[in-house]
Amino acid sequence: MDRGKPGSKMHILSDANGLPLVVGLSAGNTHDSQGLKPMVAGLQTRHDPHRGWHYKPRKLHADKAYDIPELRKWLRGKRIGVRIARKGIESSERLGRHRWVIERTMSWLTGYRRLNHRYERHPRNYLAFLGLAATLCCYKRLVQLTT
């Protein structure tokens, strides 16, 4: 959290391969952990009524900014495994093998010129461009897999 920072923060929830599943936007002076609940709640789970399966995220990897007991309890209540580095105990390097995936996703999204700097005045316009960039990332991955 940077109290004096104007602007906004991108929040991205991705799968294990780095494909963006949910994107969000918050004020630049809010703590990162406040964006986690809306992101997880916004993730739509799939349900297969014929087999009775319910697809949902199994595990969440996050850095030390999300090490809040209330968030851990909330995620466990949703039956999502928690792998968050603990403050003062674990180094962030152990999560590095999982963390690079989201860093790569952030790099993909900020590769679009419109998102690199915030040109948009209204947050809804910036969020729309962020969603469009996430859609393009998924489309490019689909084209790679099918050709």
Side-chain angles (χ1 to χ4, degrees), residues 10-14 18-24 102-117 126 129-138:
M10 290 190 295
H11 298 279
I12 300 170
L13 193 64
S14 73
L19 289 177
L21 301 174
V22 181
V23 294
I102 195 67
E103 294 296 336
R104 181 184 62 183
T105 305
M106 295 286 280
S107 175
W108 287 344
L109 293 177
T110 56
Y112 293 98
R113 188 176 130 207
R114 193 69 146 179
L115 297 176
N116 196 8
H117 298 289
Y126 187 74
F129 280 118
L130 185 60
L132 185 61
T135 304
L136 288 173
C137 287
C138 292

Side-chain angles (χ1 to χ4, degrees), residues 7-105:
S8 59
K9 289 182 185 179
M10 290 190 295
H11 298 279
I12 300 170
L13 193 64
S14 73
D15 67 352
N17 296 320
L19 289 177
L21 301 174
V22 181
V23 294
L25 193 65
S26 69
N29 59 357
T30 59
H31 196 268
D32 291 340
S33 63
Q34 293 179 352
L36 182 64
K37 281 186 182 181
M39 297 296 284
V40 173
L43 182 64
Q44 295 181 358
T45 58
R46 296 181 302 179
H47 178 69
D48 187 0
H50 301 293
R51 295 188 179 144
W53 292 352
H54 188 72
Y55 301 99
K56 63 178 179 64
R58 287 183 270 172
K59 192 183 286 186
L60 178 91
H61 293 271
D63 60 1
K64 291 181 184 183
Y66 299 93
D67 184 28
I68 297 174
E70 177 192 337
L71 285 177
R72 288 179 179 271
K73 184 177 178 182
W74 184 76
L75 288 167
R76 285 189 190 114
K78 292 200 163 282
R79 296 184 181 167
I80 298 174
V82 178
R83 183 64 182 104
I84 299 174
R86 292 172 288 187
K87 294 178 185 173
I89 298 174
E90 291 181 274
S91 67
S92 297
E93 295 170 1
R94 288 189 61 196
L95 286 174
R97 54 190 162 191
H98 302 288
R99 177 109 178 106
W100 71 271
V101 175
I102 195 67
E103 294 296 336
R104 181 184 62 183
T105 305

